[in-house]
Amino acid sequence: MRPFAYERASDAPEAVAALREHGAGATYLGGGTNLVDLMKLGVETPDTLIDVSRLPLAGVEERPDGGLRIGAAVRNSELAGHRAVRERYPLLSAALLSGASGQLRNLATVGGNLLQRTRCSYFQDVTKPCNKREPGSGCPAIEGDHRNLAIIGHSDACVATHPSDMAVAMVALDATVEVEGEGGTRTIPLRELHRLPGDEPQRDTVLEPGDLITAVELPPLAFGSRSSYRKVRDRASFSFAVLSVAAALDVADGVVRDCRLALGAVAHVPWRAARAEEELRGKPAGEESFAAAADAELEQARPLRDNAFKVPLARALIVRTLTELCDR
Ligand SMILES: Cc1cc2nc3c(=O)[nH]c(=O)nc-3n(C[C@H](O)[C@H](O)[C@H](O)COP(=O)(O)OP(=O)(O)OC[C@H]3O[C@@H](n4cnc5c(N)ncnc54)[C@H](O)[C@@H]3O)c2cc1C
Ligand code: SF4
């Protein structure tokens, strides 16, 4: 690993100013569970780390409207166990608990989790070309190992997926992200934070250099307690999703009044299944409608040579998850 300088800031504006002062070689450090691994592999080579994990952003606050404001430095394990999250947004608690391991969740922060990089094996191997790491060098995953990569929204330049479980649940919850940048504070709907690869796969998000995530806001969701997160993975624990579904369901008199659905490990972004939601509203709550909704979403899937299995898997996972929520 290359030598680097380490600094701590005392508040968010100071962190932003420190990063600006150090220039392009500086980056923020959250829990370090992704960044430090990538530094060891030579994928990330910052000369200065600005530690933002100890900023006064580690609280979960109740909002007057019943929503929650989650500081960017809140650790994943704390958020998963927070009473309001378990009671009002169980899909978020389940998504967090399905990720990584207890030790990693104790370190990982909300800000770092959202900005963790893809697990595409070529991205992590500096001896291989990769358009995300080195724009213009090529994408060996398209013809190579892509079993666990994207089926929706990918491009000729990149077929990677976003790895976070937490982000899938948060996208289903219409979360917004608060960002401190050069021009002050602004908010971005989480759904618009991550971007599809297009011909600029090196840009994971719409953030500008130096932007610091300071908080995530969850609006209230009246039917949030009837929600869940299901994750298919190759091992029972300590493993990224092969596919995941975050869902919340509001049923009255056997009819779907409202619903939230998002998919993980299908795209370069945590994928909000808006077409499925639209198809489902007003339909009888049952397997037939759930399957039709899944089909409406997955119609846009363009699987690669070795990951077509994800399409029927996503369909089955959506139907199963919604059916179980219906039976609650
Ligand atoms: C073995 C292993 C298994 C894992 N399994 C899973 C899994 O199953 N599911 C899952 O979702 N995740 C999994 N993870 C990933 C883990 O969740 C992430 O590494 C973690 O959430 C990243 O958070 P962090 O605070 O450690 O981020 P860091 O590693 O510190 O930072 C990640 C990125 O975010 C940037 N950053 C950090 N904080 C901020 C901020 N506030 N504002 C702007 N930029 C910031 C950093 O500069 C860096 O680019 C696994 C990781 C490992 C090592
Ligand atoms: S899929 Fe994306 S991250 Fe993976 S090798 Fe291709 S360009 Fe790189």
Side-chain angles (χ1 to χ4, degrees), residues 115-302:
L115 297 185
Q116 60 176 297
R117 311 294 311 270
T118 184
R119 307 305 286 200
C120 172
S121 58
Y122 303 100
F123 174 73
Q124 297 185 324
D125 181 349
V126 292
T127 67
K128 301 282 187 331
C130 165
N131 285 329
K132 186 180 277 299
R133 217 182 47 244
E134 250 185 82
S137 62
C139 174
I142 291 174
E143 292 300 324
D145 176 12
H146 54 233
R147 171 184 175 268
N148 204 17
L149 300 187
I151 55 169
I152 300 178
H154 46 77
S155 72
D156 289 344
C158 180
V159 294
T161 47
H162 189 265
S164 167
D165 291 296
M166 181 193 79
V168 180
M170 285 184 169
V171 116
L173 290 169
D174 272 344
T176 53
V177 179
E178 187 184 274
V179 175
E180 177 95 15
E182 211 166 313
T185 307
R186 66 190 196 281
T187 54
I188 305 172
L190 178 55
R191 212 169 155 176
E192 294 167 21
L193 176 73
H194 300 95
R195 52 183 299 286
L196 291 175
D199 54 10
E200 283 186 296
Q202 69 276 18
R203 291 182 55 220
D204 289 350
T205 69
V206 299
L207 294 181
E208 298 296 334
D211 278 348
L212 175 74
I213 294 182
T214 48
V216 172
E217 290 226 10
L218 299 182
L221 183 65
F223 56 100
S225 59
R226 198 186 227 183
S227 70
S228 70
Y229 185 78
R230 287 184 75 95
K231 173 174 174 180
V232 173
R233 48 192 156 176
D234 289 327
R235 281 194 310 251
S237 76
F238 211 42
S239 191
F240 287 89
V242 171
L243 215 127
S244 68
V245 172
L249 195 62
D250 181 17
V251 177
D253 300 325
V255 172
V256 176
R257 269 202 306 217
D258 204 353
C259 60
R260 296 288 178 83
L261 260 185
L263 299 173
V266 298
H268 199 255
V269 301
W271 188 264
R272 181 75 177 264
R275 294 187 190 182
E277 290 179 3
E278 201 181 311
E279 169 72 26
L280 207 47
R281 288 189 192 100
K283 297 283 162 50
E287 276 196 36
E288 206 176 307
S289 311
F290 300 154
D295 290 340
E297 191 65 45
L298 295 166
E299 197 265 331
Q300 64 198 305
R302 300 285 175 267

Side-chain angles (χ1 to χ4, degrees), residues 29-39 53 75 104 107-109 112:
L29 174 71
T33 61
N34 185 222
L35 178 60
V36 175
D37 279 358
L38 293 175
M39 288 167 67
S53 69
R75 307 287 172 167
L104 285 162
L107 272 178
T109 61

